[in-house]
Amino acid sequence: MPKTDAGEGTETRAVVPPPPVSSPSPADSSAKGGSAQLTAKQAYRIHSDYQRGLSAAQRDLDQVAMGKLESGLAVQMTRAGFKTAELEGGSLAAGTWPNPRVWIPRHVAGRPDWFVAVSTEPGVARVIDVMSSTPAGWRLVASAADTRATPDRFPVIATDDDGYATSLSENATGLVATPRQVVDAHLASMERAEIDPMFADGPWTSDIALFWQEERAQLEDAGWSLTLSYLPEGPVRALRTADGGALVWYGARSTDTRKVERPGARVALKGAAAVRTGNKSFAHSAQASYGRMYVTYIPPAGSPDPVRVLGDWSEVLEGHGD
């Protein structure tokens, strides 16, 4: 689950959480016919157990415990954040987010079950977690947050008569672009450091492109080059929204590589990447890699509205240079 801080070089996860609050215990809304459908009651319990486990692991910077709570890129990002905190000699805020709401897609035979939990603390953050079943049990597999004072409007997730959400494939049509097309376009715009008119301006679109443009210009003035890479990581998960659009969750690994072209100036990395490289400066090259996760809204086909990125989680995985 993200800690957030927006912007390159200032990695995420350390918004001070609100005090622990018990999750609601809604009535069991199981599907008819005794199917394997996950119920709302079960989902709330799973997410509550995750939050309590995460809070304890954050307090103790317990790398081992995270393997029982998160999976895939998410656990790599959390463990990397723990390592950064240890190198800084600091700690991470602990606690749980209040009053989450869950949305559960219908069970599909042969596919992992998953659900979304959204927690909002006014003036602090909106946090969106994705929990998925795995062979080892339920794990957090994606998360993103918006910590702006006034978060962007969050779309209503569509539900059927029994209260279940509708999952969509990465190639779902009926949208201004398929989820996969949106993921590829978003990552490409950051890799190229170019603003893509498909997306609304914001901290995870236009601001990132402008940041990298400025960073590249400063490096070039100092005799250095900058190469960016953003590669998708893991599945693309999507839910239908009430207006016929979609909410999409996806991850990526990014690498920014700086190389000297004209010997003279030295370069240092920023934020957590600087911590991971001992706050050193480098004469020949410097590189940082990140895990990144996003939640994005795609309008329905025919809508004049832009695609909106609604939150992220970013964590430096490693940094090095010479």
Side-chain angles (χ1 to χ4, degrees):
M1 176 189 292
K3 334 173 212 175
T4 27
D5 187 3
E8 301 302 313
T10 53
E11 290 64 59
T12 14
R13 233 200 210 161
V15 163
V16 177
V21 177
S22 299
S23 296
S25 299
D28 190 326
S29 54
S30 57
K32 300 174 182 177
S35 72
Q37 179 66 54
L38 181 72
T39 70
K41 185 176 182 179
Q42 291 168 333
Y44 278 110
R45 187 186 68 246
I46 290 164
H47 187 250
S48 178
D49 289 347
Y50 164 74
Q51 286 211 86
R52 288 196 300 269
L54 174 64
S55 180
Q58 286 178 319
R59 183 186 61 240
D60 301 330
L61 299 180
D62 189 340
Q63 299 266 2
V64 175
M66 293 312 304
K68 299 178 181 180
L69 299 170
E70 298 180 350
S71 181
L73 182 59
V75 71
Q76 295 175 45
M77 291 169 67
T78 297
R79 285 172 168 167
F82 285 7
K83 184 173 181 179
T84 300
E86 289 173 344
L87 290 172
E88 287 181 304
S91 60
L92 295 176
T96 60
W97 292 93
N99 304 319
R101 291 189 62 193
V102 301
W103 283 268
I104 309 164
R106 285 284 186 182
H107 173 74
V108 178
R111 297 183 186 176
D113 290 320
W114 63 287
F115 68 90
V116 173
V118 181
S119 303
T120 302
E121 178 72 355
V124 181
R126 178 174 61 215
V127 177
I128 304 101
D129 292 334
V130 177
M131 307 291 300
S132 177
S133 61
T134 75
W138 283 91
R139 299 289 187 270
L140 178 119
V141 293
S143 191
D146 186 343
T147 61
R148 291 175 292 181
T150 305
D152 202 359
R153 176 175 52 84
F154 199 73
V156 176
I157 297 173
T159 55
D160 62 21
D161 290 342
D162 292 319
Y164 288 97
T166 301
S167 60
L168 302 173
S169 76
E170 66 173 31
N171 297 313
T173 57
L175 307 167
V176 295
T178 69
R180 173 54 68 182
Q181 289 171 334
V182 167
V183 171
D184 291 346
H186 184 210
L187 300 183
S189 70
M190 292 186 289
E191 182 171 283
R192 295 193 303 262
E194 296 177 356
I195 295 174
D196 187 330
M198 174 189 291
F199 297 90
D201 290 345
W204 308 291
T205 53
S206 56
D207 290 359
I208 295 297
L210 293 173
F211 170 87
W212 284 127
Q213 290 173 18
E214 294 172 0
E215 182 80 354
R216 176 172 280 131
Q218 292 173 6
L219 286 166
E220 289 177 349
D221 286 345
W224 286 66
S225 65
L226 172 67
T227 302
L228 303 172
S229 171
Y230 281 76
L231 299 175
E233 174 90 1
V236 175
R237 297 178 177 87
L239 292 179
R240 177 74 70 191
T241 56
D243 63 359
L247 272 171
V248 183
W249 291 264
Y250 50 99
R253 290 178 187 268
S254 76
T255 303
D256 47 274
T257 302
R258 299 156 177 81
K259 291 186 177 180
V260 68
E261 301 291 335
R262 186 178 68 247
R266 298 177 67 89
V267 161
L269 298 176
K270 301 175 181 178
V275 175
R276 298 297 286 272
T277 53
N279 294 299
K280 297 176 182 177
S281 60
F282 304 101
H284 304 101
S285 68
Q287 186 177 80
S289 63
Y290 298 80
R292 302 188 186 277
M293 293 184 175
Y294 305 95
V295 58
T296 295
Y297 165 70
I298 308 175
S303 171
D305 296 332
V307 174
R308 295 184 290 125
V309 181
L310 300 173
D312 89 324
W313 172 17
S314 175
E315 202 80 57
V316 67
L317 299 176
E318 60 181 27
H320 61 268
D322 64 357

